[in-house]
Amino acid sequence: MEVIIRPDTGSATELVARLISDAIKSKPDLVLGLATGRTMERLYARLTQMHKMEGLDFSSVRTFNLDEYAGLAPDDPNSYRFYMDKHLFNHINIDKRNTFLPDGSAEDLDSECARYERKIEEAGGIDLQLLGIGSDGHIGFNEPLSALRSRTRVKALTPATIAQNSPLFDDPARMPKRAMTMGVGTILDAKRVIMLVTGKSKAEVLAKAVEGPITSMISASALQLHPRCTIITDEDAASCMSEKNYYRWIFGNEPEWKAYHKI
Ligand code: F6R
C-alpha cells in the first residue's frame, strides 16, 4: 500500500483524474471499476472536463460499478445507475452498453450478484478499481464484518451508512436498507486499486484502515493485502495518520511520482 498526501481536495482529486487518464491512454479498452458518492462527484466533473478539453477518449473503456441499492430500478433518480449517467456517462463518449452496474430491480438479487461476478470475469477482470471510504470504513457497501474473501452479494446497510447517505434522498425514509455490492474479495482481485479520501470527517477511519490491524470491522483495512493499492488523500483526511512524513517523502522522491509533481 502507498499513501500519497496532497495539500487539498482539489489537488488530490486532480491527481486521481490524471492517473485514470494516463491509465486509459496506455490501455484504451481499460476495465475501470467505479464508485459513487460525494467524493467522486468532483472527480467525475474533472474527467468530463478532460474529455471535453483534452479529448480523453472513453470510447473503448468498459466500466463496472461497485454497488447498487437493492430495490431501486435504473431510472430511479436515487439509483447509482442514475448517478453515473448524471455525473459521468451522459457527458463523455462512453458506449453505455459497456457500462455495468448490478440491477437493483432484478427479481432474484442473488442470481443478479452471481451474474455480475461472471460479467467481470468475462471482461478479463478489473484493471483499475476506484474506491472511496465510508464513515464506518466500508469500501463499496462492504459493511463491518464483511468477509475479507466475500464476492458480490446483498448486504444489509449499517445505521452509520444510512445516516451518511439518506440525506441524499428527497425523502430520507425511502433509502433502501440493503444494497448489492462487489465483495472485498472481488475488489482485492482488481489489478490496481486507487482510493480517494478527502475531508476531516474521514481522518479517523482512514488512519485505522491504513495503519491499524487488518480487520473485517473496517473493510478498507483489507486493502493492506493488495499488491498495488494507492491511497490518495488531502491533508485533512490524512491528519490522524502517524507516518505522514514517510508518505510525503514517497511522493517527493519516488520516481513514479515525479511526473505528477506539478499537479
Ligand atoms: C459507493 C461507494 C461507497 C462510497 C463511500 C464514501 O459506490 O463505493 O463506498 O465511496 O460511502 O462516500 P462519500 O464520498 O459520499 O463520502
Side-chain angles (χ1 to χ4, degrees), residues 35-39 66-67 80 132-134 138-140 164 202:
T36 59
R38 300 167 182 92
T39 313
L66 284 163
D67 42 20
Y80 282 164
I133 188 171
H138 70 215
I139 45 177
Q164 179 192 293
K202 301 285 175 66

Side-chain angles (χ1 to χ4, degrees), residues 103 105-109:
D103 180 355
S105 65
E107 240 170 64
D108 180 344
L109 295 180

Side-chain angles (χ1 to χ4, degrees), residues 213-234:
I214 296 174
T215 166
S216 62
M217 287 303 290
I218 299 185
S219 297
S221 68
L223 296 173
Q224 294 175 34
L225 295 167
H226 195 281
R228 209 167 163 228
C229 172
T230 309
I231 314 284
I232 296 177
T233 165
D234 61 8

